[in-house]
């Protein structure tokens, strides 16, 4: 399947605009673990995910992380082209969580086209609104959800992402996703283990009881 | 001064588009404390602040609050018209923190015009990007700043907003802004008092030493 299948808004553009994007878009393969975009890399461009998984995260001055949202197949990453919008005054980091295939649309092409095309500009607004929704959800989680629920929620998401009950995940990785300390995650996972919900071994977390894990989310 | 002074993007629109907005915009006065917009009020429309102060906040299921950002004179509130963007899947509440004068642009007018005008659509993107920046700053604060710094930062902002060292603020109000419990705020303010930074009395917080308050922000 080609680019237009993954980026259907292109069909609503004029032929000249469509050509402009198709001629400038490049393909890119990034291995699992690679950081594609950070505050120092400037304007990487708009990323369209063909396959794989990306994670957008924030980094503190002390090097602590928190995952803001994840981008799956067909998702479009706007903030890797944040130079386009002068009101964006923050840095986001993007890392491949799996081997990932991408299309990259250069930021200057996007910017030029949004200036002339209300369709593309409205599409940009919708993209941003989607990410805004993700981030508002995150604030709710941080502020008002206890950590047991956040860990349970993350493990359930990982099961879906990996399509497996056996997750290759260090406690450190879970902590970086949730923006907390490794020790705190370890304590929580050991509690889950004592409840028969997970089985821990070096570098893996096996989910033994999905129903119990889901029940954690429902507890008052 | 008229509407166009406060909403200069209107000058970049076509005469017909400009007329459409000017004919549909209404003026509104809201008293201090009034909630202008919440999840149940649907689409209030775009708000342009003529004078006063608005605060956008999030509300938990249990009724806890946290301030997301504040809107000052000439600021434009987009999320009170969030029905325009189908990717926005969260509720925001807007409250007047001072007696406030507003212009309200109906959401359907805005939506119609952004569909045809790349200028207005790009303006919408920039507005949203500005609020996104505010919210990313908030996540940083919640995640990685200790509460003493957050309280200090809030008091300094209040001094600027009120243009006074004597702030009419309950501990409850500070807690609602910062999304924490009243007791925690009271403890922190008492500590500030013992350090000679503030003087507390019923319903007011007087800042005695601005330099010391600023120094709290710099501490490691």
């Amino acid at each position: 399947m080609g680019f237009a299948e993954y980026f259907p808004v292109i069909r609503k553009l004029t032929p000249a605009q469509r050509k402009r994007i198709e001629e400038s878009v490049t393909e890119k393969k990034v291995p699992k673990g690679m950081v594609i975009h950070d505050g120092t890399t400037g304007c990487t461009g708009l990323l369209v995910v063909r396959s794989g998984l990306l994670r957008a995260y924030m980094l503190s001055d002390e090097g602590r992380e928190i995952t803001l949202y994840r981008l799956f197949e067909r998702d479009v990453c706007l903030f890797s082209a944040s130079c386009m919008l002068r009101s964006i005054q923050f840095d986001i980091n993007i890392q491949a969580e799996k081997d990932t295939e991408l299309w990259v649309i250069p930021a200057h092409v996007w910017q030029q086209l949004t200036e002339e095309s209300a369709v593309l500009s409205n599409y940009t607004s919708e993209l941003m609104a989607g990410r805004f929704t993700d981030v508002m959800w995150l604030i709710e989680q941080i502020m008002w959800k206890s950590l047991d629920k956040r860990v349970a929620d993350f493990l359930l998401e990982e099961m879906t992402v990996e399509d497996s009950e056996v997750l290759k995940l260090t406690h450190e990785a879970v902590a970086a996703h949730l923006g907390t300390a490794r020790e705190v995650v370890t304590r929580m996972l050991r509690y889950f283990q004592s409840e028969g919900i997970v089985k821990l071994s070096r570098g893996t977390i096996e989910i033994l009881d999905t129903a119990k894990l889901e029940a954690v989310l429902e507890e008052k």
Side-chain angles (χ1 to χ4, degrees), chain A:
Chain A
M1 277 201 297
F3 176 62
E5 306 295 324
Y6 287 79
F7 193 66
V9 69
I10 205 172
R11 299 203 178 107
K12 294 187 193 156
L13 303 181
T14 67
Q17 289 165 345
R18 180 172 174 158
K19 196 170 161 233
R20 187 83 214 282
I21 291 181
E22 285 176 334
E23 283 178 354
S24 64
V25 72
T26 53
E27 286 184 57
K28 201 170 172 173
K29 286 186 186 189
V30 283
K32 181 177 170 168
M34 191 182 186
V35 175
I36 309 172
H37 177 80
D38 67 25
T40 64
T41 38
C43 224
T44 309
L46 251 92
L47 310 175
V48 183
V49 181
R50 182 175 196 162
S51 68
L53 178 61
L54 300 179
R55 126 181 138 98
Y57 62 102
M58 218 174 171
L59 205 58
S60 78
D61 296 341
E62 288 81 29
R64 291 178 62 188
E65 299 182 3
I66 182 165
T67 298
L68 296 165
Y69 47 81
R70 293 167 131 184
L71 299 163
F72 297 87
E73 204 180 295
R74 289 171 195 271
D75 277 341
V76 178
C77 184
L78 179 68
F79 290 122
S80 49
S82 60
C83 58
M84 286 177 359
L85 291 156
R86 64 175 184 286
S87 308
I88 292 185
Q89 306 287 341
F90 56 88
D91 288 328
I92 252 177
N93 303 281
I94 315 278
Q95 183 181 33
E97 284 199 274
K98 295 183 178 182
D99 292 341
T100 300
E101 293 178 297
L102 300 167
W103 282 284
V104 184
I105 306 170
H108 70 274
V109 173
W110 191 269
Q111 186 165 24
Q112 215 174 45
L113 290 177
T114 51
E115 269 163 29
E116 66 179 66
S117 163
V119 168
L120 209 58
S121 178
N122 282 307
Y123 178 79
T124 303
S125 293
E126 286 289 350
L127 275 182
M128 201 174 352
R131 295 298 88 77
F132 213 113
T133 300
D134 293 339
V135 161
M136 293 293 283
W137 180 87
L138 179 64
I139 294 180
E140 256 190 272
Q141 296 286 311
I142 302 170
M143 293 300 303
W144 297 312
K145 286 269 180 295
S146 53
L147 192 76
D148 58 341
K149 289 187 172 47
R150 295 184 62 211
V151 172
D153 201 53
F154 178 69
L155 294 178
L156 289 165
E157 185 177 313
E158 279 298 301
M159 283 177 69
T160 311
V161 168
E162 299 297 340
D163 195 22
S164 165
E165 278 91 48
V166 183
L167 306 174
K168 290 198 173 143
L169 264 180
T170 63
H171 301 185
E172 209 123 35
V174 178
H177 273 287
L178 302 179
T180 186
R182 189 191 51 72
E183 300 75 34
V184 179
V185 168
T186 297
R187 210 177 310 133
M188 189 59 71
L189 287 172
R190 283 195 184 142
Y191 165 71
F192 283 174
Q193 182 165 255
S194 73
E195 294 284 305
I197 300 174
V198 302
K199 186 172 165 249
L200 305 176
S201 48
R202 198 175 174 76
T204 66
I205 302 167
E206 184 178 354
I207 315 299
L208 301 178
D209 193 332
T210 310
K212 265 196 187 167
L213 195 58
E214 282 166 346
V216 171
L217 297 180
E218 303 305 322
E219 280 163 21
K220 271 286 168 197

